Amino acid sequence: MIRFVLLALAGLAACAAPTAPPNPNSVPAILEDLTGARAASGALYVVGGLYSGAAIGQTTRFVVTPTDQLICTFQSDPVAGQEGSSELAAYRQNSPGLYAAFGAAILPNTAPIEVEYTTNFTVEHQGAGGLTITQTGFGDQRFDRLVSVFTSFPSPCWAFG
């Protein structure tokens, strides 16, 4: 009887499927890479959304590295009163010139003084002097330049609307 049980266990073990390697393009893998890249020197990290019109309920979270690597998530939530569930997509891509464009748009990472603006995006920069965190939105010139970069570098990372 013991021999039969051992043979049966050996047979079942042989039938077990091998474990697949982790998918580097899965949402968990990309979130892990996004977190790591966010802490790297020079990284630009942005989170937020436009929160108006067709972009209500849509949020982006991305990091741009000095090597022009873009790692992001884009989330769409159902609009109040509509049925549906949240959708989260994750992407990574390389776009030559992207870091320079974002740097020109939002650096230095300082909020304007005595200017009233909405809070649409939080911007973090991991610079030589340490981490700086500000916010930007409608009414801030950095916001206008940020949206211009979104237009110049189309990406599913900021497919608002």
Side-chain angles (χ1 to χ4, degrees):
M1 177 76 168
I2 292 176
R3 286 185 186 164
F4 176 73
V5 171
L6 291 175
L7 286 173
L9 286 175
L12 286 174
C15 294
T19 305
N23 179 355
N25 292 318
S26 68
V27 171
I30 289 178
L31 283 171
E32 187 176 318
D33 290 349
L34 190 148
T35 301
R38 178 180 175 186
S41 179
L44 294 168
Y45 173 75
V46 178
V47 61
L50 299 178
Y51 309 127
S52 66
I56 291 176
Q58 297 176 340
T59 307
T60 187
R61 174 181 316 266
F62 64 88
V63 65
V64 180
T65 68
T67 59
D68 292 325
Q69 183 180 21
L70 172 64
I71 306 169
C72 74
T73 63
F74 188 80
Q75 182 169 342
S76 296
D77 293 328
V79 178
Q82 293 182 351
E83 291 186 26
S85 60
S86 294
E87 295 179 18
L88 179 65
Y91 306 96
R92 66 176 85 235
Q93 64 189 66
N94 286 330
S95 297
L98 185 64
Y99 185 81
F102 271 111
I106 57 179
L107 294 179
N109 192 23
T110 55
I113 298 173
E114 297 181 15
V115 173
E116 191 171 322
Y117 59 92
T118 63
T119 303
N120 292 72
F121 292 95
T122 298
V123 178
E124 295 181 9
H125 178 241
Q126 193 66 258
L131 178 66
T132 58
I133 301 172
T134 63
Q135 295 174 328
T136 186
F138 294 101
D140 180 353
Q141 291 180 355
R142 294 177 306 142
F143 175 78
D144 296 335
R145 294 189 303 256
L146 181 67
V147 172
S148 177
V149 174
F150 290 165
T151 304
S152 300
F153 292 85
S155 170
C157 294
W158 42 76
F160 296 108

